[in-house]
């Protein structure tokens, strides 16, 4: 019995909804609840991955119409290669995280009820799958809201702390501002598709057929871009990310950071390349510039943090910026009718989407493991965990190497492809673009190097050295489901890094359908071993050879040196002969990033104070120092505070309408009736 | 078949001659400063001594500390296998273009920085912090210089750049100046870092490897010497590629070898002139230093479009 | 020496002129500033000579020698004497930090390239590509005057602007008529003398040549 991919995908959504019902039944036995529901969730994710891989591999499109929804406005579903790609991305990480969650959520047993977490987790996954499958504006927005609402409840899981409630509220506000913009954008496109005459324009098919006049297309694009940027966390709409991701449970953070942000990217790609197909070059320039700004500012913010999960959240801002760089370049090349170059840029952006989902998921899972073991989120209280948690440390290291874009792991491949796309810019006909693109490439290089610095800091402070904390807690390695989830993600990182040609071959139907050009013939021209995006003479990279080469040389040197092994003596730390070493003398997160804070600090509002505590002994021998550091996001004062103040002012003024006086209310009704009667005469 | 022969020969030259290059640089420095120098082959004797010694390992060193010297050595050798020093006929050249080369050095630096933080001393963390800062400032300049060089021959593959030959253009002159400054930063020479300092607070690279001993230290030192060799070879390959043998002309290899030695000797003299003439800069003045490197590289890129 | 090689050498010289302009923009030490200004004048005179040879305009040789004597020898000497007599401290402060100034300089180069694009389409001279460099030198000279706090550096900025204008004249129209050249050269010389006299007065009034001192001249409301 052959199933269509779209039926498989719908089956996975139904499975998740079923899991929600099951959890309502099983809420008495929490342990069974966790085991059962997360197993069902992983099965559902695996099904979605299968559907996605099948669709992209075969390039076919499947459609389905459901008669739910409003009368005369049914839900349309469609699984085309673009949706299939994102389904694979979401499903893959959901699979890893669901397995991880079996172990992680057990950590909450005995402290609180996890029914809420489990129920909303399934709804969250179902929402994300439905967003990707939606083929009309109504279903899209319903699924979008479901996703946002489910994640709100997940972020608020530990709601006894006021910071968590505030973070969730901020998240909700920004998500809804974005949703309104998306709604308006769909409204513009739907109206123009049918000339504002009937409601049939709400399907994506109708929007595809329509030809939009340039001004209205621009309005629709800008609204949609604003709305999706709010969800993706592009600067300046990023402020909810570093508040919401750290307070959520770590498996939820992994999903939010890894795949929920990607649904926004899906929306942008869908609207720009699929619904509005023709656009001028400056749209791409806007996307590219915002991507560059997000990348650089995101990584600089991350460097200032000492909370592990906040650091990872800011890195999501940076990586979304890198994805937008790829997509912006694709838009620019496409608007200048250079399809092969656009294909390269688009593949670079989408490859990074997949990569980021996997390595960010891995990093958040690792952070969750650390949190689970030490009950501590502040990096400055940790250290030396590599000795107690060797598996977690090794897997987190894989994540760190991947996100720093170092060969032979996957982050490097997508950054390399993005650089190659930048290096194609001299073929552009526009002079100014030719001169400004290399600056963008230089900023991307800066981002990569700063990300590496940040992850040396993160890994070094958390796992290496000595324990910096005050209390001596007993730390042990995490249990098997968590380790398995993380290992699978790490293996995928390595696989995506070593075998890029296989993935590009698989993904190739995407640029073909969206842009009209294929990348694989040139990218895999020299065989599966070498990645040659434009031509072999131009640039080539072989992840396999780099990986094997390093192992080979390591092996030979190790063997040669251990033919007659010398002794290894364990001794105390040398440290140039300094004897009284304490763990508090080590570098911690704040001190590691001090040079970068001094150099790039003008982008933030930083207040740093060192005060000498009152002395009892001689002034030359200080006993205690107070160090105070506050790093603040300038965007709060420039954008959010003024907006909040204006809103409060307006609401105070409008609040005067509420007098509590019966006569006033009767007058309001009377005036309204009179005005309506006048207008309908 | 000949390709593999050339490849192996090149790697052997790299591993074998790197200490001699460092010996040459030290000799010239002493001569210029009016001191008596050690022999040209002293670095070999130092490495031999280190290999025969035992390792003293700190009690809380993890596997990263023990793994890093081998990784450093491995990535540096792999980088050396990719740069055309003797000939452009390298089968492994298709593995990596210039950007991947930068990536290989980056992963070596990443692990060295982790090893610096592993022991848990203040000096290690300081070295890691400073080294990563300098690296992040040098990256944009490096990329811009690579971009400028690749504009002329429309490729980032090293063999193609060498085969395109050097062209006398202002853009390449600017890119060369930028690259010299970046090479000084990446290899840790004056004015960025003093490779022979004994004062811990002035160290960048040395602080990270302070706790190594025995054969680990030998591997780390050797990798450092090879890195200097590679950067000089890279500079000569990108900007002065005359003398490198073409593909398939095996007989030209001895001449290529002699020319390489000459180029390295001259680069060594240039390095010594720079190191003797300048003083080590404060860490926070390095923004100006690397900023001027970025400026030169950008001017090179702009002059490619404006003047050529 | 045929036209192509001459054009290429001219491009090189233009690149060095631009490099000297940037060098003056970021340099903090006054003696180095004066030396860089002399180098810029030298490159300028070489470029003028080459253009004169290629375009067969012999009055450009006279221009070249005039530039050499004035901008490489005389003006740096006058400035040097000024610095010594006024016992000026050897460092000059800037309003913005150095990397930011460099970025603005790069932006100005891109901007001038964009501005001179139409001229490049229409011009038939071999020096058409150096017009962008010349315009950039003028703007960088102005930027130098804006971002410096010391009066001597501001006059060097003014002279650098004049260098740029001279270079623009050579690039766009193969030089100005000789009468105009002589007049401009004389004006620059007089300006240098007048600046010198003013500096002595300012120094004796305020005991410093920091231009922020001039804000003392405003009315107290």
């Amino acid at each position: 019995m052959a199933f269509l991919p779209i039926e498989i995908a719908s089956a996975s959504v139904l499975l998740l909804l079923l899991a929600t019902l099951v959890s309502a039944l099983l809420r008495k036995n929490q342990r069974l609840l966790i085991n059962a529901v997360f197993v069902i969730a992983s099965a559902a994710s695996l099904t979605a991955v299968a559907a996605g891989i099948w669709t992209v591999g075969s390039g076919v499109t499947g459609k389905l119409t459901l008669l739910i929804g409003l009368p005369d406005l049914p839900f349309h579903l469609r699984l085309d290669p673009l949706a299939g790609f994102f389904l694979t991305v979401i499903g893959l990480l959901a699979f890893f995280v669901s397995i991880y969650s079996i172990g992680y959520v057990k950590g909450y047993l005995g402290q609180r009820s996890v029914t809420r977490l489990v129920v909303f987790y399934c709804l969250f996954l179902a929402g994300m799958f439905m967003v990707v499958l939606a083929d009309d504006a109504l279903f899209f927005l319903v699924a979008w809201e479901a996703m946002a609402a489910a994640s709100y409840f997940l972020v608020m899981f530990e709601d006894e702390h006021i910071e968590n409630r505030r973070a969730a509220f901020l998240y909700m506000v920004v998500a809804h501002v974005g949703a309104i913009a998306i709604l308006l954008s769909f409204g513009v496109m739907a109206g123009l598709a049918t000339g504002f005459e009937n409601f049939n324009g709400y399907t994506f098919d109708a929007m595809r057929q329509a030809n939009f006049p340039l001004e209205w297309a621009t309005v629709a694009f800008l609204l949609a871009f604003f709305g999706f940027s709010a969800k993706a966390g592009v600067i300046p709409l990023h402020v909810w990310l570093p508040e919401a991701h750290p307070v959520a449970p770590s498996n939820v953070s992994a999903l939010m950071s890894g795949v929920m942000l990607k649904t926004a990217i899906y929306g942008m790609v869908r609207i720009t390349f699929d619904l509005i197909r023709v656009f001028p070059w400056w749209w791409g320039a806007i996307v590219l510039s915002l991507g560059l700004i997000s990348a650089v500012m995101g990584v600089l913010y991350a460097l200032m943090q000492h909370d592990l999960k906040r650091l990872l959240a800011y890195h999501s801002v940076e990586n979304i910026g890198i994805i937008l760089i790829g997509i912006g370049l694709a838009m620019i090349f496409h608007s200048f009718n250079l399809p092969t170059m656009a294909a390269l840029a688009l593949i670079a952006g989408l490859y990074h989407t997949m990569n980021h989902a996997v390595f960010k998921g891995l990093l958040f899972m690792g952070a969750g493991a650390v949190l689970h073991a030490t009950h501590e989120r502040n990096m400055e209280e940790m250290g030396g965990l590599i000795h107690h948690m060797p598996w977690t440390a090794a897997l987190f290291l894989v994540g760190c190497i991947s996100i720093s874009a170092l060969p032979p792991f996957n982050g490097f491949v997508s950054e390399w492809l993005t650089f190659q796309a930048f290096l194609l810019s001299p073929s552009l006909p526009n002079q100014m673009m030719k001169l400004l693109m290399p600056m963008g490439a230089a900023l991307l290089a800066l981002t990569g190097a700063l990300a590496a610095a940040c992850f040396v800091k993160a890994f070094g402070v958390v796992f290496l050295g000595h324990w910096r904390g005050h209390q001596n807690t007993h730390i042990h390695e995490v249990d098997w489901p968590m380790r398995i989830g993380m290992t699978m993600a790490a293996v995928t990182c390595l696989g995506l890094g070593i075998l890029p040609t296989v993935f590009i071959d698989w993904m190739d139907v995407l640029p073909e359908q969206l842009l009209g050009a294929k990348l694989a013939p040139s990218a895999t021209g020299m065989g599966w071993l070498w990645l040659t995006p434009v031509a072999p003479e131009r640039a080539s990279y072989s992840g396999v050879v780099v990986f094997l080469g390093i192992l080979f040389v390591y092996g030979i040197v190790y063997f040669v040196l251990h033919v007659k092994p010398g002794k290894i003596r364990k001794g105390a730390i040398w440290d140039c002969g300094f004897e009284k070493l304490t763990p508090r003398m080590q570098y911690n997160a704040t001190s590691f990033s001090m040079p970068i804070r001094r150099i790039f600090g003008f982008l933030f509002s930083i207040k740093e104070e060192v005060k000498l505590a009152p002395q009892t002994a001689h002034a030359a021998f200080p006993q205690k120092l107070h160090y105070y550091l506050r790093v603040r996001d300038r965007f709060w004062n420039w954008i959010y505070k003024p907006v909040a103040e204006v809103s409060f002012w307006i609401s105070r003024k409008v609040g005067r309408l509420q007098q509590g006086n019966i006569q006033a209310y009767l007058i309001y009704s009377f005036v309204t009736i009179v005005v309506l009667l006048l207008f309908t005469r | 078949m000949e390709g593999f022969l050339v490849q192996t020969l090149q790697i052997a030259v790299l591993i074998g001659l790197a200490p001699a290059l460092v010996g040459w640089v030290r000799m010239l420095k002493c001569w210029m400063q009016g001191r008596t120098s050690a022999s040209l082959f002293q670095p070999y004797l130092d490495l031999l001594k280190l290999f025969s010694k035992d390792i003293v390992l700190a009690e809380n060193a993890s596997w990263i500390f023990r793994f890093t010297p081998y990784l450093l050595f491995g990535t540096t050798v792999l980088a050396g296998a990719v740069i055309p020093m003797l000939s452009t006929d390298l089968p492994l050249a298709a593995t990596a273009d210039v950007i991947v080369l930068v990536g290989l050095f980056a992963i070596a630096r990443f692990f060295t920085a982790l090893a610096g933080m592993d022991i848990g001393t203040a000096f290690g963390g300081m070295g890691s912090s400073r080294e990563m800062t300098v690296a992040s400032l040098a990256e944009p300049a490096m990329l811009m210089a690579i971009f400028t060089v690749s504009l002329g021959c429309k490729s980032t593959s090293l063999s193609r750049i060498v085969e395109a030959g050097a062209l006398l253009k202002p853009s390449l002159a600017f890119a060369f100046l930028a690259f010299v400054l970046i090479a000084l930063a990446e290899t840790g020479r004056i004015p960025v870092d003093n490779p022979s300092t004994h004062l811990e607070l002035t160290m960048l690279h040395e602080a990270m490897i302070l706790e190594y001993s025995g054969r680990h230290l030998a591997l780390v030192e050797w990798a450092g010497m090879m890195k200097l060799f590679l950067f000089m070879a890279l500079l000569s390959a990108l900007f002065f590629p005359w003398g490198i043998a073409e593909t398939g002309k095996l007989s030209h290899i001895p001449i290529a070898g002699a020319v390489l030695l000459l180029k390295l000797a001259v680069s060594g003299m240039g390095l010594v002139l720079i190191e003797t003439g300048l003083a080590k800069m404060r860490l926070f003045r390095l923004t100006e230093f690397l900023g001027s490197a970025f400026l030169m590289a950008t001017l090179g890129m702009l002059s490619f479009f404006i003047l050529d | 020496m045929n036209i192509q090689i001459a054009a290429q050498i001219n491009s090189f010289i233009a690149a060095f002129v631009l490099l000297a302009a940037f060098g003056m923009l970021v340099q903090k030490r006054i003696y180095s500033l004066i030396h860089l200004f002399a180098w810029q004048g030298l490159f300028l005179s070489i470029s003028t000579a080459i253009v004169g040879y290629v375009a067969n305009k012999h009055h450009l040789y006279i221009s070249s020698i005039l530039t050499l004597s004035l901008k490489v020898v005389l003006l740096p000497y006058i400035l040097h004497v000024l610095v010594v007599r006024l016992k000026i401290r050897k460092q000059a402060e800037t309003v913005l930090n150095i990397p930011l100034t460099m970025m603005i300089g790069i932006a100005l180069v891109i901007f001038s390239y964009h501005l001179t694009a139409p001229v490049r389409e229409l011009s038939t001279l071999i020096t058409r590509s150096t017009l962008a460099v010349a315009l950039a030198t003028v703007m960088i000279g102005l930027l130098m005057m804006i971002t410096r706090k010391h009066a001597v550096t501001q006059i060097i900025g003014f002279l650098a602007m004049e260098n740029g204008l001279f270079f623009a004249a050579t690039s766009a129209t193969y030089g100005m008529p000789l009468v105009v050249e002589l007049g401009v050269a004389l004006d620059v010389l007089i300006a240098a003398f007048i600046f010198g006299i003013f500096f002595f007065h300012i120094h004796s009034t305020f005991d410093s040549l920091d231009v922020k001192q001039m804000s003392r001249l405003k009315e107290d409301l």
Side-chain angles (χ1 to χ4, degrees), chain C residues 26-45:
Chain C
V26 305
Q27 189 57 255
K28 279 189 184 163
R29 295 157 68 193
I30 297 206
Y31 280 136
S32 309
L33 268 172
I34 300 177
H35 292 161
L36 276 171
F37 174 67
W39 278 106
Q40 195 179 44
L42 180 67
F43 289 135
L44 218 51
S45 55

Side-chain angles (χ1 to χ4, degrees), chain A residues 386-387 390 394 397 400-401 404-409 412 416 419-420 422-426 431 434-435 437-439 441-443 445-446 449-450 452-453 455-457 459-461 463-466 468 526 530 536-543 545-547 549-550 553-554 557-558 561-562 564-576 578 581-582 585-587 591-596 598-600, chain B residues 51-64 66-67 70-71 73-75 77-78 91-104 106-111 113-115 117-130 132-133 135-137 139-141 143-144 146-147 150-151 154-157 160 200 203 210-211 215-216 219 282-284 287 294 298 301-302 304-306:
Chain A
I386 194 170
H387 302 288
L397 182 64
C400 290
I401 302 180
S404 312
L406 297 173
F409 287 92
F412 180 72
W416 189 74
F419 278 128
Q420 294 296 333
F422 264 117
L423 291 177
L424 289 171
S425 61
Q431 292 288 31
K434 268 207 289 209
L435 291 179
M437 293 285 220
M439 305 289 196
L443 281 176
L446 179 67
L450 286 173
F455 277 97
V456 168
K457 170 181 111 164
F459 189 79
V461 170
F463 288 101
L464 303 176
H466 300 279
R468 292 175 182 78
M526 259 171 81
W530 316 98
E537 302 80 51
R538 187 152 176 133
S540 62
Y541 168 63
S542 170
V545 176
V546 168
F547 183 60
I550 296 179
V553 179
Y554 177 100
V557 173
Y558 193 84
L561 286 178
H562 280 75
K564 180 178 78 75
K567 261 189 336 147
I568 296 188
R569 282 188 287 145
K570 293 259 182 178
I573 303 178
W574 177 49
D575 198 31
C576 296
F578 190 77
L581 211 52
T582 69
M585 285 183 188
Q586 296 173 98
Y587 260 53
S591 40
F592 192 93
S593 49
M594 186 276 273
I596 298 183
R598 289 274 169 93
I599 295 173
F600 291 105
Chain B
F51 274 119
S52 60
K53 287 196 164 198
D54 292 341
I55 297 178
V56 178
L57 209 56
E59 281 152 342
N60 64 326
S62 65
W63 61 269
I64 290 186
R66 297 165 64 164
F67 172 67
Y70 299 100
L71 180 79
F73 197 81
T75 43
V77 167
L78 191 60
L92 279 184
T95 313
D97 65 341
V98 185
I99 303 181
V100 182
L101 196 64
V102 172
L104 283 174
I107 195 170
R109 186 172 44 234
F110 187 86
F111 270 93
L114 283 182
M117 297 205 66
D118 189 35
I119 301 293
T121 63
F123 294 133
M126 182 185 79
S128 307
S129 156
R130 289 175 169 185
M132 297 309 288
T133 312
S136 49
L137 292 173
E139 287 280 322
L143 190 88
M144 195 59 101
I146 290 175
F147 194 90
S150 76
L151 276 176
K154 294 203 193 318
S155 157
T156 50
S157 161
R160 298 293 159 267
E200 295 88 4
M203 294 178 179
L210 212 50
E211 298 286 327
R215 58 175 182 267
H216 288 164
L219 284 176
R282 263 187 71 202
L283 183 69
F284 291 111
T287 23
F294 179 71
T298 314
M301 186 267 302
L302 291 175
F304 179 82
F305 290 116
I306 299 182

Side-chain angles (χ1 to χ4, degrees), chain B:
Chain B
M1 197 56 235
E2 321 158 336
F4 284 104
L5 208 64
V6 174
Q7 185 86 73
T8 330
L9 184 62
Q10 192 169 288
I11 296 181
V13 162
L14 169 69
I15 299 183
L17 279 186
L21 177 67
V22 172
W24 168 247
V25 168
R26 285 185 195 162
M27 258 178 67
L28 280 180
K29 226 180 180 177
C30 288
W31 181 78
M32 207 162 237
Q33 293 170 358
R35 299 184 272 146
T36 329
S37 68
S39 89
L40 185 65
F41 303 104
Q42 183 62 36
Y44 291 103
L45 299 173
D46 289 336
L47 287 176
L48 222 61
K49 170 188 79 169
L50 284 171
F51 274 119
S52 60
K53 287 196 164 198
D54 292 341
I55 297 178
V56 178
L57 209 56
E59 281 152 342
N60 64 326
S62 65
W63 61 269
I64 290 186
F65 191 76
R66 297 165 64 164
F67 172 67
T68 300
Y70 299 100
L71 180 79
L72 262 186
F73 197 81
T75 43
T76 319
V77 167
L78 191 60
V82 169
I83 300 178
M85 291 189 268
L86 293 174
S87 153
T88 53
D89 179 18
L90 299 170
L92 279 184
T95 313
D97 65 341
V98 185
I99 303 181
V100 182
L101 196 64
V102 172
L104 283 174
F105 286 127
I107 195 170
R109 186 172 44 234
F110 187 86
F111 270 93
T112 320
L114 283 182
M117 297 205 66
D118 189 35
I119 301 293
T121 63
F123 294 133
M126 182 185 79
S128 307
S129 156
R130 289 175 169 185
E131 177 80 17
M132 297 309 288
T133 312
V134 169
S136 49
L137 292 173
E139 287 280 322
M142 170 100 86
L143 190 88
M144 195 59 101
I146 290 175
F147 194 90
T148 312
V149 170
S150 76
L151 276 176
C153 40
K154 294 203 193 318
S155 157
T156 50
S157 161
L158 280 161
S159 317
R160 298 293 159 267
I161 296 180
V162 167
E163 280 172 12
L167 306 152
L168 284 166
K169 291 181 176 189
S171 56
L172 285 183
F174 280 127
F176 173 68
L177 287 173
F179 225 100
V180 166
L181 295 178
I182 294 165
L184 287 173
E186 289 270 336
T187 49
R189 315 295 300 185
I190 292 178
V192 177
D193 179 17
N194 188 349
S196 56
T197 183
H198 304 291
L199 309 168
E200 295 88 4
L201 293 177
T202 61
M203 294 178 179
L204 268 79
H205 179 77
E206 292 293 318
M208 294 192 287
I209 59 176
L210 212 50
E211 298 286 327
Y212 277 118
S213 54
R215 58 175 182 267
H216 288 164
L217 184 58
L219 284 176
V220 171
E221 293 275 326
W222 208 343
M225 298 178 193
M226 289 200 290
K227 193 170 179 183
L228 182 63
F229 189 99
L230 282 178
F231 266 94
M232 287 189 181
L234 187 63
L235 269 170
S236 7
L238 286 178
F239 298 104
F240 307 105
W242 312 292
I244 299 184
E246 306 278 311
T247 311
K249 296 208 178 101
L250 216 57
S251 53
H252 287 199
I253 301 253
I255 310 176
V259 173
L260 179 70
L261 284 175
L262 184 64
K263 284 193 261 187
L264 286 174
V266 170
S267 315
M269 272 196 268
L271 178 64
V272 168
L273 280 172
I274 295 176
E275 287 211 304
T276 320
L278 295 176
K280 179 183 176 301
M281 281 187 189
R282 263 187 71 202
L283 183 69
F284 291 111
R285 278 201 60 200
L286 285 174
T287 23
E288 292 170 22
F289 182 76
L290 291 168
S292 357
F294 179 71
L295 177 69
M296 301 268 198
T298 314
L299 282 178
M301 186 267 302
L302 291 175
S303 52
F304 179 82
F305 290 116
I306 299 182
L307 293 170
D308 296 334

Side-chain angles (χ1 to χ4, degrees), chain A residues 182-216:
Chain A
I182 298 175
L183 176 64
L184 286 173
S185 164
F186 278 138
V188 167
M189 287 199 285
L192 285 170
T194 57
F196 291 100
E197 286 177 13
N198 54 28
F199 283 121
N200 290 340
Y202 81 111
T203 59
F204 285 177
D205 271 331
M207 296 181 197
R208 268 181 212 115
Q209 319 289 357
N211 277 321
F212 303 110
L214 184 61
E215 313 77 48
W216 283 110

